[in-house]
Amino acid sequence: MQHTFVLQTKWDGGRNAVGSLQAQRLSTQISIPPEMDGPGIGTNPDEMLLGAAATCYIISLAAMLERTGIKATLAMQSDGIVDVTNGVFTYKQIIHKLTIKLIDYTEKNKKIAERLAFKAESTCMISKALKGNVEVLVQLTIV
């Protein structure tokens, strides 16, 4: 089975123009972020890559926890680290700072949740696509 996701973009103008992005469930303006001397309107490729990695990871983990019968709430901050060397921008690293709050906290559930938190990162489709290009790390807290 194969899935096709369709996304359309429009861009009129030069480097600091503002474009648009339209997909089935997403519609936004796009531009270069202010950190890279752009107008910072709407979103940008760096945020979208970070968002894809974060949402894929947290949804994968939620599904894995559900399959094992562990009930939890998940909260996460993800940081995307971009290096600039000699004017070349390179996405180097994504750090997921994850907190798992177990509804039924036991040592057994904690160990399973910890194992799944690291496994989910390696099984997520987006993490697989980034492998070898962008380092993805998980910093985990379980309460």
Side-chain angles (χ1 to χ4, degrees), residues 4-10 20-30 48:
T4 301
F5 296 95
V6 177
L7 184 136
Q8 297 174 344
T9 56
K10 292 182 182 176
S20 64
L21 176 148
Q22 182 71 45
Q24 185 176 356
R25 294 171 198 89
L26 176 64
S27 178
T28 187
Q29 291 181 299
I30 55 174
M48 292 188 68

Side-chain angles (χ1 to χ4, degrees), residues 6-89:
V6 177
L7 184 136
Q8 297 174 344
T9 56
K10 292 182 182 176
W11 192 270
D12 296 323
R15 180 190 186 280
N16 284 329
V18 176
S20 64
L21 176 148
Q22 182 71 45
Q24 185 176 356
R25 294 171 198 89
L26 176 64
S27 178
T28 187
Q29 291 181 299
I30 55 174
S31 71
I32 295 173
E35 297 85 355
M36 297 176 179
D37 297 323
I41 297 171
T43 191
N44 58 72
D46 308 286
E47 283 182 339
M48 292 188 68
L49 179 64
L50 183 60
T55 55
C56 183
Y57 170 66
I58 204 164
I59 291 169
S60 296
L61 176 57
M64 294 168 87
L65 289 168
E66 181 180 66
R67 280 194 295 275
T68 62
I70 294 177
K71 293 183 179 171
T73 58
L74 309 175
M76 186 171 72
Q77 173 182 315
S78 296
D79 298 340
I81 311 301
V82 176
D83 179 61
V84 184
T85 303
N86 298 325
V88 177
F89 293 87

Side-chain angles (χ1 to χ4, degrees), residues 100-137:
I100 301 174
K101 183 177 180 185
L102 296 173
I103 305 304
D104 181 21
Y105 186 97
T106 65
E107 278 303 312
K108 179 182 176 186
N109 284 350
K110 179 184 177 191
K111 286 180 183 179
I112 293 169
E114 182 175 22
R115 180 178 58 80
L116 293 178
F118 292 104
K119 184 177 181 182
E121 189 281 312
S122 64
T123 60
C124 158
M125 177 176 65
I126 302 300
S127 293
K128 287 180 187 179
L130 296 173
K131 191 172 178 115
N133 293 306
V134 178
E135 180 183 30
V136 181
L137 302 174

